[in-house]
Amino acid sequence: MKMYKDATRKTYERSQETIELVSGIIQDVKNQGDQKLLELSQKFDGITLNTVKVSRAEIDKAYTQISKETIEAIKNAASQIRFFAEKQLESMKSITVATPIPGVTLGHRLIPVQTVGAYVPAGRYPLPSTALMLAIPAKVAGVEKVVTCSPAAKGYETIHPAVLVAMDIAGVDEIYCAGGAQAIAAMAYGTETIKKVDLIAGPGNRFVTEAKRQVLGSVGIDSLAGPSEVLVIADEMADPKYTAIDLLAQSEHDPNARATLITTSTVFADNVLEWLHKYADELSTGETAKKSWQDNGTIIIADSMEEAIQISDDIAPEHLEVHTHNSDAVSEKLRNFGSLFIGEYAPVAFGDYCSGTNHTLPTMSTAKYSNGVWVGTFLKTSFTQHISKEGCANLARTCIQMAGEEGLFAHQKSVLVRVEE
């Protein structure tokens, strides 16, 4: 292995300044509620709101503010995302089983979380896809109430209409115009208007991520996301144009995005760089993409495909593309990734929008032990046991012995009083 191009800086750092700033915002929202949300909307978004709650009239108006083609695309994406979430749910089931010990029946139940808060970030462009990716699996799981928070979009004095339409199509129950750490605080602790939720899901910038970290425990969260990532494994048979544009597609997200190429061919790496610079010069987002690639882009020349697989598994990327002549066989050997894109005709863009898999995924190597948002994110697997008098007698000796060994004598007595009757 050799490093053909290395990254020049870290893409994510948790600073003390960010920690303290977010802590202050959370405390202010806890103390001042809606009033603080309105103040921060004025400060950060430059808009004056009378209430953070988005009305039905505003949602209906949003349908008139975007094209019919965009509405149709949102509906098509929603349909595919819902289809896959429903298939995921079908693969799961509650169970009740009689055990080898007579009188002891065990089980688990799949119980939906009751209330979910979905955070949909905003930036240079609206993110209706994120609204679909969060709300649809939650609703398919059976969540009673899904609320969403999202910052106001420039020029609209409220959430971007495409995002509002996506939230509505996804089946969101309540929508609030609030962003940043303050929105996370509002969903975690509640305000006069926003009721406390049980679980918060959704990506965001470093302030949102830090807020999720700080409220964890008071409320559940899906994950702590860092900058977006892609890794492409390619051999000399791949098309350098496809690889180059896919690296740029990730890099254009923001200056902190990470794009990595692992290839077995130096010639291929040369060709990818040539196409990468050509495409970057053609894109309206090219400057951001080039800056991100310059700072965070990496190219590694592996000695073999086996080594490429090992390196990839160690990195554990959010998005993993396989551009090789035997992409199915290579993909079978990979273990650590958030979402896997097999073959040259499967760019990450499909997963971002409309293939049906979720795009809220683990980053910063957390794919080694975690997964992205899915229908199971919004389900609790809660255990049950039914123990008859016979089962009590059959379990008693083991339980009495272990409770005594651990010095928990009330535990021990709770069994003894039942078997000594």
Side-chain angles (χ1 to χ4, degrees), residues 248 276-283 286-287 290:
L248 283 175
L276 188 147
H277 291 297
K278 180 178 185 299
Y279 283 138
D281 289 337
E282 298 172 358
L283 294 167
E287 287 304 312
K290 283 194 289 187

Side-chain angles (χ1 to χ4, degrees), residues 113-121 130-131 133-139 143-150 167 172-176 178 180 183-190 194-204 208 212 215 218-223 360 373 377-378:
V113 174
Q114 286 185 278
T115 57
V116 166
Y119 183 79
V120 180
T130 300
M133 297 287 179
L134 297 173
I136 290 174
K139 278 299 183 182
V143 174
E144 292 177 16
K145 184 178 179 181
V146 176
V147 305
T148 52
C149 283
S150 188
M167 290 173 175
V172 170
D173 298 291
E174 295 176 6
I175 301 172
Y176 300 101
I184 302 302
M187 291 189 286
Y189 300 109
I194 303 174
K195 303 305 178 187
K196 172 178 166 55
V197 302
D198 299 317
L199 173 71
I200 296 174
V208 169
K212 288 171 70 177
V215 303
S218 297
V219 65
I221 66 170
D222 56 343
S223 65
T360 308
V373 168
T377 300
F378 308 103

Side-chain angles (χ1 to χ4, degrees), residues 164-352:
L164 286 178
V165 168
M167 290 173 175
D168 191 50
I169 289 171
V172 170
D173 298 291
E174 295 176 6
I175 301 172
Y176 300 101
C177 184
Q182 60 270 27
I184 302 302
M187 291 189 286
Y189 300 109
T191 70
E192 298 89 337
T193 302
I194 303 174
K195 303 305 178 187
K196 172 178 166 55
V197 302
D198 299 317
L199 173 71
I200 296 174
N205 61 22
R206 69 182 188 276
F207 302 107
V208 169
T209 300
E210 181 58 30
K212 288 171 70 177
R213 188 194 310 273
Q214 291 189 24
V215 303
L216 176 60
S218 297
V219 65
I221 66 170
D222 56 343
S223 65
L224 295 170
S228 196
E229 308 159 353
V230 70
L231 188 152
V232 180
I233 296 176
D235 60 17
E236 70 283 354
M237 303 297 291
D239 190 324
K241 297 191 299 296
Y242 298 165
T243 302
I245 196 61
D246 290 357
L247 294 171
L248 283 175
Q250 199 64 36
S251 299
E252 74 175 347
H253 272 289
D254 63 65
N256 294 318
R258 288 182 59 194
T260 302
L261 169 63
I262 304 175
T263 181
T264 52
S265 169
T266 301
V267 172
F268 180 78
D270 292 336
N271 291 335
V272 167
L273 276 183
E274 183 178 339
W275 280 104
L276 188 147
H277 291 297
K278 180 178 185 299
Y279 283 138
D281 289 337
E282 298 172 358
L283 294 167
S284 61
T285 54
E287 287 304 312
T288 297
K290 283 194 289 187
K291 175 63 174 171
S292 176
W293 173 254
Q294 176 184 331
D295 288 347
N296 311 315
T298 302
I299 298 178
I300 298 170
I301 309 298
D303 294 332
S304 65
M305 189 53 62
E306 288 70 25
E307 184 180 53
I309 291 168
Q310 291 173 2
I311 297 168
S312 175
D313 275 345
D314 186 55
I315 294 172
E318 177 188 19
H319 305 96
L320 176 56
E321 295 186 5
V322 180
H323 296 187
T324 63
H325 71 282
N326 56 345
S327 56
D328 287 327
V330 171
S331 297
E332 286 296 322
K333 298 177 182 179
L334 292 159
R335 297 168 59 91
N336 299 331
F337 50 84
S339 193
L340 182 61
F341 299 80
I342 305 169
E344 288 189 296
Y345 292 94
V348 166
F350 284 141
D352 279 347

Side-chain angles (χ1 to χ4, degrees), residues 77-138:
S79 177
Q80 191 71 356
I81 294 164
R82 187 173 290 109
F83 165 81
F84 189 55
E86 288 171 349
K87 290 302 178 183
Q88 288 179 323
L89 186 61
E90 288 175 15
S91 74
M92 307 170 70
K93 63 180 181 179
S94 297
I95 61 171
T96 302
V97 294
T99 76
I101 298 175
V104 179
T105 302
L106 306 178
H108 72 234
R109 296 178 186 170
L110 303 180
I111 304 173
V113 174
Q114 286 185 278
T115 57
V116 166
Y119 183 79
V120 180
R124 294 172 299 155
Y125 301 101
L127 296 171
S129 58
T130 300
L132 301 178
M133 297 287 179
L134 297 173
I136 290 174

